[in-house]
Amino acid sequence: MGYKVAIVSLGCPKNQVDAEQMLYLLKEAGFEIGCEESVADAIIINTCGFIEDAKAEAIENILEAAKYKTEGNLKALIVTGCLAERYRDDITEEIPEVDVVVGIGSNKNIAKITKEAIEGKKQNSYGEKCDLDMNIPRILGGMPFTAYIKVADGCNNCCTYCAIPKIRGKMRSRKIEDVVAEAVRLADGGVKELIVVAQDTTAYGQDIYGEPKLAELLTELSKIEGIHWIRTLYTYPEKINDKLIDTVANNPKLVKYFDIPLQHADGEILKKMNRKGDTESYKKMINRLREKMPEVTIRTTFITGFPGETDSQFETLHEFVKEIKFDRLGCFTYSAEEDTIAATMPDQIDEQVKQDRSDMIMTDQTLISADKNNEKIGKTVEVLVEGYDSYIRCYFGRTEYDAPEIDGKIFFTTDTPLVIGDFVKVLINDSLEYDLLGERVQ
């Protein structure tokens, strides 16, 4: 065929998995993949449409790619992903530079759609959300030793601020044997770290097995030869039970890292978010984690300025953050998303108030993070080597307590050359706010 195609994937790791599957389908169909946008016959922008900032980023990337219609070889500009699923025909109407919009249910047909678009047949395509095939092989777009593995798509939680159930549909889990089969293929290809993702990983299996099966899935994945670390993202607090905690605590391949999007700590705000829990239930869950795994790293996210959030309710959140001292924390201002219940709620908060509250949380968290990093000085940790920085002349990588892209790194020196993707022992001898410094030890 000889056609060249470039993919730009935006948003979350789940979206990245979709893009990697599309890369596989395109290559199998004879496309040349991985080329520069300036020489591509087709550019696919795999978008996120979760919040306003993500939509703005997607539109910016679409318009940036469109310039290659005059400056390059571009014949077809194709938009896929959450923005495509959410806004469908609106995209081609409002952004005429876009030639084709592809909903998530039509991802499996991306090669045919792309070929036809290049050759002049430009037609939007939307399959049913449930037609998204999660078992298609992939071509990894990131580090060859780390891979995300998506175990479910969609979500049943219906948080009032979130449009994901409308965009991606109800939760659909993959069978344990299908996930394991993919993980074996990834391990055979050199992957050493698996990162399990879904919109709510703790709900994994509920729809097909009648009860959550994350603990069972993690146990099966840990049996795969070659897999060294298994990390889980997006675990919801009310579903973190003793079975899951014990499974992680007692399995050396399961890293002692919990990513728990709490979103708030005030019980009334959480109810308005359609989230379960409150300050006391959250404290009990976190205490259980820390009792079972004293070394555990807990990451969370919070939203400030949710409709009706009073000064007192914000202070409940603020005091909670200072008391718990999370290892990792991100704080975001509330974004009123169309077609969500929260967007129609009264008492929407002023943007500056939202930002001020978020800044207060993050200012405190910076100090907490610095203190926690200082406590690590003198300890020896296992590090996955990710690269070499020629400017500062040292290697860098991550510990099991750091997820890629969202957490910090450790920069370290060594007397001998290292292989990227190997695991080494590093003595921590200094720290920054979010990163660590050290030297390799034998």
Side-chain angles (χ1 to χ4, degrees):
M1 184 187 299
Y3 291 138
K4 299 177 180 178
V5 62
I7 290 188
V8 177
S9 191
L10 308 172
C12 68
K14 301 180 290 294
N15 219 34
Q16 180 178 326
V17 171
D18 291 349
E20 290 170 349
Q21 290 179 327
M22 287 190 278
L23 280 172
Y24 172 85
L25 293 171
L26 289 160
K27 184 175 182 181
E28 286 294 294
F31 284 89
E32 181 183 331
I33 61 173
C35 65
E36 296 292 327
E37 293 178 40
S38 59
V39 299
D41 296 291
I43 297 176
I44 299 170
I45 311 292
N46 191 41
T47 61
C48 174
F50 183 46
I51 58 175
E52 198 62 40
D53 287 350
K55 288 184 278 187
E57 181 187 22
I59 293 169
E60 181 182 343
N61 275 269
I62 290 167
L63 296 178
E64 180 68 19
K67 71 181 183 181
Y68 293 113
K69 289 189 173 184
T70 55
E71 298 178 9
N73 192 48
L74 186 62
K75 301 177 183 67
L77 178 54
I78 300 168
V79 175
T80 62
C82 288
L83 197 75
E85 184 65 31
R86 187 173 187 182
Y87 294 105
R88 300 203 163 196
D89 295 328
D90 293 343
I91 294 176
T92 46
E93 290 173 7
E94 298 182 20
I95 312 176
E97 293 89 346
V98 174
D99 297 298
V100 177
V101 179
V102 181
I104 62 171
S106 291
N107 281 6
K108 61 188 177 184
N109 302 319
I110 192 65
K112 179 177 181 288
I113 292 168
T114 302
K115 178 178 182 295
E116 290 179 349
I118 292 171
E119 294 175 353
K121 183 182 177 182
K122 298 171 180 178
Q123 185 174 343
N124 294 348
S125 179
Y126 313 109
E128 295 295 326
K129 293 176 175 61
C130 59
D131 287 342
L132 178 69
D133 187 349
M134 290 179 276
N135 293 320
I136 295 170
R138 298 149 56 193
I139 294 176
L140 298 184
M143 297 286 192
F145 42 80
T146 294
Y148 296 100
I149 187 161
K150 185 163 71 169
V151 300
D153 199 68
C155 186
N156 293 345
N157 289 330
C158 297
C159 302
T160 58
Y161 54 81
C162 181
I164 289 297
K166 292 181 181 295
I167 298 171
R168 308 294 296 202
K170 292 183 177 181
M171 187 184 75
R172 306 174 301 284
S173 300
R174 302 170 66 189
K175 295 179 180 178
I176 289 177
E177 55 265 34
D178 290 338
V179 179
V180 171
E182 181 184 7
V184 169
R185 290 196 301 269
L186 291 169
D188 289 345
V191 168
K192 300 176 182 179
E193 178 187 29
L194 283 178
I195 305 176
V196 176
V197 294
Q199 195 62 36
D200 173 2
T201 52
T202 32
Y204 166 76
Q206 178 73 52
D207 53 318
I208 54 177
Y209 299 113
E211 60 180 344
K213 289 288 186 180
L214 179 60
E216 288 83 354
L217 174 66
L218 294 175
T219 299
E220 291 303 309
L221 291 174
S222 71
K223 298 175 183 177
I224 299 172
E225 187 175 350
I227 298 298
H228 191 74
W229 283 349
I230 301 171
R231 184 185 310 279
T232 305
L233 301 184
Y234 316 121
T235 55
Y236 276 53
E238 67 273 13
K239 303 186 186 91
I240 297 176
N241 54 28
D242 289 337
K243 182 179 183 180
L244 179 61
I245 293 172
D246 289 342
T247 298
V248 176
N250 297 323
N251 192 319
K253 285 191 178 183
L254 303 182
V255 300
K256 312 315 177 220
Y257 179 103
F258 275 77
D259 171 58
I260 313 169
L262 297 177
Q263 309 304 21
H264 213 278
D266 180 81
E268 288 303 313
I269 291 292
L270 286 164
K271 285 180 184 177
K272 291 176 70 174
M273 289 178 166
N274 197 32
R275 299 292 297 258
K276 298 179 176 65
D278 53 28
T279 303
E280 291 309 310
S281 66
Y282 284 177
K283 285 181 182 179
K284 288 179 182 178
M285 179 267 298
I286 291 166
N287 287 338
R288 289 207 313 274
L289 288 172
R290 288 174 169 170
E291 286 166 5
K292 285 281 186 177
M293 295 168 279
E295 76 278 32
V296 70
T297 287
I298 301 175
R299 177 181 177 81
T300 192
T301 52
F302 290 115
I303 297 171
T304 56
F306 189 80
E309 182 189 57
T310 65
D311 289 341
S312 175
Q313 289 168 329
F314 167 71
E315 197 55 37
T316 296
L317 169 61
H318 195 188
E319 290 301 317
F320 180 70
V321 168
K322 290 189 287 187
E323 178 183 350
I324 297 299
K325 298 188 186 313
F326 291 95
D327 303 274
R328 311 278 188 264
L329 186 151
C331 192
F332 306 93
T333 60
Y334 167 72
S335 173
E337 292 302 305
E338 57 191 291
D339 299 325
T340 62
I341 295 171
T344 65
M345 287 180 178
D347 302 320
Q348 299 284 326
I349 305 296
D350 178 77
E351 291 296 331
Q352 190 59 54
V353 173
K354 295 180 192 177
Q355 191 61 58
D356 289 345
R357 290 174 177 176
S358 176
D359 290 345
M360 290 173 68
I361 296 289
M362 290 312 299
T363 297
D364 285 335
Q365 184 59 32
T366 298
L367 298 175
I368 292 169
S369 296
D371 287 343
K372 284 184 171 287
N373 273 355
N374 281 334
E375 292 171 1
K376 295 173 184 175
I377 294 174
K379 294 181 178 180
T380 298
V381 293
E382 185 177 47
V383 173
L384 172 58
V385 183
E386 292 188 307
Y388 181 79
D389 189 320
S390 57
Y391 181 73
I392 57 176
R393 289 184 290 183
C394 69
Y395 286 89
F396 60 88
R398 288 180 292 110
T399 72
E400 70 171 275
Y401 308 110
D402 301 291
E405 300 179 11
I406 55 176
D407 294 328
K409 294 185 180 295
I410 180 166
F411 296 85
F412 61 96
T413 57
T414 180
D415 293 333
T416 56
L418 301 176
V419 176
I420 306 302
D422 277 0
F423 290 88
V424 298
K425 297 291 185 182
V426 174
L427 173 66
I428 300 168
N429 53 31
D430 204 352
S431 70
L432 305 172
E433 283 179 358
Y434 295 106
D435 297 320
L436 298 168
L437 307 175
E439 58 182 298
R440 186 199 176 191
V441 293
Q442 300 295 332

